[in-house]
Amino acid sequence: MHGGDGSEVSSARNSRVTTVRSLDVTDNESTKDQPPKLCGFLNKLAGKGPLRGFKTRWFVYDPRKCYLYYFKTPQDSLPLGHIEIADACFSYEVDAGDEGQFEIHTSGNDFILKAPNRQVMRYWLQQLQQKRWEFCNSRGAARDSWNSPTLPDLPTGLVAKDTDVFSYEKPSDSTESVRNEFAMEIAPEGLVGVNAARNPAAQPSTINFSLKQWGTELRNSVSHLRAGRGSSENRRSVFYTSSEEWDMIDPTSKDFQDLATQEYRRKSQLEANRVSLGSAFTFDFSRNSSRPKRPFLRDMIGPSKNRSSNEASPVEWSVSNGNKPSESQLKIQSLQEELTRLKEEHTSQKELVRLLQQTLRGSQYDKRSSSIQPGGAPDGMELVREKDQQIQALSAHIEKLGLEKESLHQEVKSLKNKVGELNEQLGMLIETIQAKDEVIIKNSSSHTEEASTPSKDLQELDRLKDSLQGYTTQNKFLNKEILELTVLRRNAVAREKALEAKCTGLEAKLCQIESKYLVLLQEVKNPVCSGEQGPAREVISRLLEDALEVETPEHPEHTVLKPHAVSEFDIFGFKTMPEDDEEEQLVAKVRALDLKSLSFTDQEVSVGVKWENYLASTMNREMVRTPELKGLIRSGIPHEHRSKVWKWCVCFHVKKFRDTVPPDYFNQLLQEALEKQNPASKQIELDLLRTLPNNKHYASPTSEGIQKLRNILLAFSWRNPDIGYCQGLNRLAAVALLYLDQEDAFWCLVAIVEVFMPRDYYTKTLLGSQVDQRVFKDLMSEKLPRLHVHFEQYKVDFSLITFNWFLVVFVDSVVSDILFKIWDSFLYEGPKIIFRFALALFKYKEEEMLKLQDSMAIFKYLRYFTHTILDARKLMSIAFGGMNPFPLRQIQNRRTFHLEKVRLELTELEAIRQNFLRQRDTSLEGRGLISDDEEDND
């Protein structure tokens, strides 16, 4: 079935989001590093029955899912539906009735689309083929499971190179060359791309409204409503004809008052005319109106449309056909004109009779009133007699007019009969003329047929050439389609075979492991107390060896046959397995498996679906700060979308800085830092390899992250000479580099140091960091009073542990999965997140800490307890739920209070230090120093 109405509804339901404002699609101009967006207007065939027809839709290609979404307008946020391009095939007909029409065939649905012309159609087909080819060839990258139906955003930082690639058939050079030869069209200017949104789309003949998606269209149209619906302009309806504009305006109260005033004046004038004694015939045949009279709509329609076939003027019909009017036609025309004149005269006579009747009734009324008056004067009797005479004259005139009316009716009836007879004669004459014309044309065509044969042959030859060119283009397109579908089918078959082999190997390995565990259980059932090497110890040692094996790039064959999914490094590049201690390896492996199992929970899957729906709704707009986005970020950003969201967060916070500097500002800073002497460069070089030694991207001097980290720190030290370089900045930049490019990571460091953190946070005195530790102690006493009293009782200074948390935002203090979820919220909300999670970590293990009754045990526990917290969902629930309320104003006020106290303490310490130095210098000058050798010589 064409149209795919079912997919439209399901996509609109899954992509339901709350929008704050609507942005024009041209705001999302593609950057110089990204390919242009494939989007534009197309007509889509949809509907059923009489409503079936083409409707204009705005189509946008989504490379993350290989979906072709379509919207009603470029400003809409909710798509009406989507087309899955990854598993689709394309076709079009050369001899199609509509130019630019093509079809997209998917599993279960067929979509018929129509472009403005053939060039645009061929460009869309070429681009859709290319997008399908790129998506399917990179389908195995950046995903943990083949069950996911979407291709996520690929990370742009250092973790972008850590994706697991499935073995596919690589397209050969010959295949690529053939595909390039089949390329057809370049992008038509103004018809495809973001610039097409500025041009109005050509509306199809059918109504551009869908009953299936009325709810989606209604929600999309809310943002387009404008104010002023109660104004008088909106009560105006306009109808357009070929020559004039017609208005329908609802009358206002003022219009009603004008009409009432005019009606009152007209009645007053009639009363005055009726009772006037100066003349018996004071009639006003013209009716004046202050409002101009609009023409009737039937007067604007041509005479041929306003008349019936029997009343059509034969003279006009004859002239329109190019024939000269005959004598009978002229006579008919004169009779019609005479009939029209008589009708007008009859109408005027009827009006005259009506007015005379009114005058007669007025006279009779005056006569009765005068006869009733007692003692009427003789002049009154004379007046009555004159009125009687006038009445008699009027009655006679009325009778005469009635007779004339009857005679006119008879004359009109006879004229109508005569006109009908003349029309019949005229019809017969016209048919005779048409028959003669056909005979003349037939005779003349036989003489000109021989002369026109060469021109017809040339026209037929041109038509055949056009058809040949069209079929050649179609043949190229279909050959490319067959070639691509063949390669994609082979890839699908290879993937299926590889998965079958992997499944078989996993089943075999599982059977072996089950048998070993059965043997182990059987041996453990009868324990042997001796220290001799028995079968049970051998089985246990072999199982431990198997458990400690990890997946490494040097043994790729294990990726198919190995049942467990723990690798040497996690997705962030951090080492998961220590090298020496066997017990620590087992603990690390258990921790890695626990983290892996937590990532497969329903809650994590639900968060991923919510993010996909949100990002699908932002295709036509940029992200904005909303409560919905804040909630999504607090739930954690999926690995595949983190690069995009982090970049947006950083750009949002440093926009005021980037707008005031040139585009190549980072490169300029780096060039100056490399060319000129930099006092911070020596310390930077010392700390590079000590930044994240457990991460493979910074493990050796030749690692890719080391050089990028060096560039960022040098550029930042040159931008902030008062800070230069402080220990801790290297870890902040290193974490940012994992998901951001070099320049974006630099701006991320600028956002943390110059926007988020207070002043003097990363200076030599670390004044801001000391203040935050005192603020955190106040929050501990308020939010966790029992734990705070417990620490005070055993005199445990937990700031020795938490100081590093605040300075580097928990880097190397928590497991990597929790670390990046903390950074998600930190880059969006700012430093308040550090306080939330620091309190949440203590709250998470509060009961365990309260059981410790020794200061050394408590301090030892504080050093490693954060690495035992693995459930990120529980920790975030405590941070964002259990710690509320958490006002930022309270933190700022306490920072101000403690800042003054710390400054006073530092001033006092500086004075004591200066005093101590002066006393030491004085004591050294007052006595001489004698060496041991000199005393021995004496």
Side-chain angles (χ1 to χ4, degrees), residues 38 60-69 153 615-616 619:
L38 178 60
V60 180
Y61 174 75
D62 183 7
R64 298 179 301 107
K65 300 186 178 183
C66 199
Y67 282 178
L68 188 64
Y69 287 97
D153 295 318
L615 293 175
M619 293 172 56

Side-chain angles (χ1 to χ4, degrees), residues 282-299:
T282 56
F283 305 117
D284 186 8
F285 291 98
S286 62
R287 303 181 65 184
N288 297 327
S289 177
S290 61
R291 178 176 295 181
K293 185 177 180 182
R294 294 184 180 274
F296 292 103
L297 188 60
R298 60 181 172 81
D299 296 334

Side-chain angles (χ1 to χ4, degrees), residues 19 25 232 249 292 319 328 436 528 540 550 600 620 639 643 663 711 907:
T19 58
V25 75
S232 60
I249 305 177
V319 172
S328 60
K436 290 180 178 180
V528 179
I540 292 174
V550 294
F600 291 147
N620 285 350
H639 168 70
S643 294
N711 295 338
T907 304

Side-chain angles (χ1 to χ4, degrees), residues 372-626:
I372 293 173
Q373 295 176 359
D379 294 338
M381 295 300 295
E382 290 295 331
L383 183 60
V384 170
R385 292 191 187 95
E386 289 178 2
K387 293 294 182 180
D388 289 339
Q389 292 175 3
Q390 290 178 1
I391 291 170
Q392 292 176 1
L394 288 173
S395 299
H397 187 65
I398 289 171
E399 292 178 358
K400 183 179 179 181
L401 289 176
L403 294 174
E404 290 181 0
K405 178 182 177 182
E406 292 296 332
S407 62
L408 288 174
H409 274 299
Q410 294 295 332
E411 186 176 358
V412 168
K413 189 180 296 184
S414 61
L415 288 174
K416 284 185 177 180
N417 294 332
K418 189 176 295 185
V419 168
E421 294 175 358
L422 291 175
N423 283 334
E424 291 179 359
Q425 295 178 4
L426 180 61
M428 296 175 62
L429 291 174
I430 289 173
E431 290 179 358
T432 305
I433 291 171
Q434 289 178 351
K436 290 180 178 180
D437 290 340
E438 290 177 359
V439 173
I440 292 172
I441 292 173
K442 186 176 181 180
N443 293 333
S444 62
S445 63
S446 61
H447 295 286
T448 59
E449 185 175 359
E450 296 179 358
S452 63
T453 301
S455 61
K456 288 184 177 180
D457 293 341
L458 292 175
Q459 293 178 358
E460 182 68 18
L461 181 61
D462 294 338
R463 187 184 66 81
L464 291 175
K465 286 182 179 179
D466 294 339
S467 300
L468 177 61
Q469 184 178 1
Y471 282 113
T472 303
T473 305
Q474 184 192 34
N475 187 30
K476 288 183 177 180
F477 168 75
L478 293 178
N479 287 337
K480 182 181 180 182
E481 185 75 4
I482 293 171
L483 174 67
E484 291 187 357
L485 291 176
T486 302
V487 175
L488 295 178
R489 180 179 177 275
R490 285 202 298 265
N491 285 338
V493 172
R495 185 185 70 180
E496 183 180 1
K497 290 182 179 179
L499 290 176
E500 288 179 355
K502 183 176 181 180
C503 182
T504 304
L506 290 175
E507 290 179 354
K509 193 71 175 177
L510 179 61
C511 293
Q512 295 176 5
I513 293 174
E514 288 178 352
S515 64
K516 292 179 181 179
Y517 275 104
L518 289 175
V519 172
L520 175 62
L521 292 175
Q522 184 178 4
E523 294 293 334
V524 171
K525 186 178 180 181
N526 300 318
V528 179
C529 296
S530 63
E532 299 178 357
Q533 293 290 337
R537 287 192 171 274
E538 293 181 1
V539 172
I540 292 174
S541 61
R542 288 170 58 188
L543 287 176
L544 288 176
E545 291 177 2
D546 292 342
L548 293 176
E549 290 181 3
V550 294
E551 298 175 0
T552 58
E554 292 78 12
H555 301 86
E557 66 275 2
H558 287 214
T559 58
V560 176
L561 300 177
K562 199 166 186 60
H564 49 270
V566 178
S567 59
E568 185 179 2
F569 298 94
D570 60 10
I571 59 174
F572 312 106
F574 290 98
K575 195 173 184 62
T576 58
M577 303 290 292
E579 297 179 355
D580 301 329
D581 193 353
E582 181 176 323
E583 183 178 355
E584 291 184 2
Q585 290 180 356
L586 286 174
V587 173
K589 185 156 188 179
V590 170
R591 185 189 300 118
L593 289 173
D594 289 340
L595 289 172
K596 193 74 173 179
S597 63
L598 289 173
S599 65
F600 291 147
T601 57
D602 295 338
Q603 194 172 6
E604 292 289 341
V605 174
S606 176
V607 170
V609 172
K610 291 178 181 178
W611 269 104
E612 288 185 357
N613 292 337
Y614 175 79
L615 293 175
S617 69
T618 58
M619 293 172 56
N620 285 350
R621 67 196 70 247
E622 62 182 7
M623 291 190 295
V624 294
R625 292 177 67 90
T626 60

Side-chain angles (χ1 to χ4, degrees), residues 872-911:
R873 290 294 155 202
K874 181 180 178 181
L875 182 65
M876 289 190 292
S877 176
I878 297 173
F880 297 117
M883 294 296 110
N884 287 333
F886 208 84
L888 181 61
R889 183 178 300 176
Q890 180 185 9
I891 296 176
Q892 292 174 347
N893 293 337
R894 292 185 178 181
R895 275 177 170 171
T896 304
F897 172 73
H898 287 292
L899 179 62
E900 298 299 327
K901 293 182 63 177
V902 173
R903 282 178 176 173
L904 289 175
E905 292 177 2
L906 290 177
T907 304
E908 294 176 358
L909 289 175
E910 182 64 21

Side-chain angles (χ1 to χ4, degrees), residues 693-794:
N694 59 337
N695 191 291
K696 65 180 181 180
H697 301 294
Y698 306 99
S700 65
T702 58
S703 299
E704 182 182 3
I706 292 296
Q707 181 58 40
K708 292 183 177 181
L709 182 61
R710 179 186 293 110
N711 295 338
I712 292 173
L713 296 177
L714 288 174
F716 183 82
S717 65
W718 197 260
R719 172 183 169 87
N720 295 278
D722 54 336
I723 298 176
Y725 170 74
C726 174
Q727 288 186 352
L729 297 180
N730 54 340
R731 295 189 176 186
L732 297 176
V735 171
L737 269 175
L738 292 177
Y739 279 101
L740 299 175
D741 292 334
Q742 186 173 247
E743 184 174 357
D744 293 327
F746 164 78
W747 286 111
C748 181
L749 187 60
V750 171
I752 294 173
V753 177
E754 301 181 25
V755 180
F756 291 164
M757 299 304 188
R759 294 183 60 184
D760 299 330
Y761 212 89
Y762 294 98
T763 56
K764 294 180 180 180
T765 60
L766 298 176
L767 180 62
S769 302
Q770 297 181 47
V771 170
D772 272 1
Q773 293 308 306
R774 301 195 179 194
V775 174
F776 182 66
K777 285 185 178 180
D778 292 346
L779 293 175
M780 277 282 291
S781 62
E782 178 184 341
K783 301 291 184 180
L784 302 174
R786 291 194 303 155
L787 191 60
H788 184 266
V789 171
H790 186 68
F791 287 155
E792 291 291 333
Q793 179 182 357
Y794 290 98

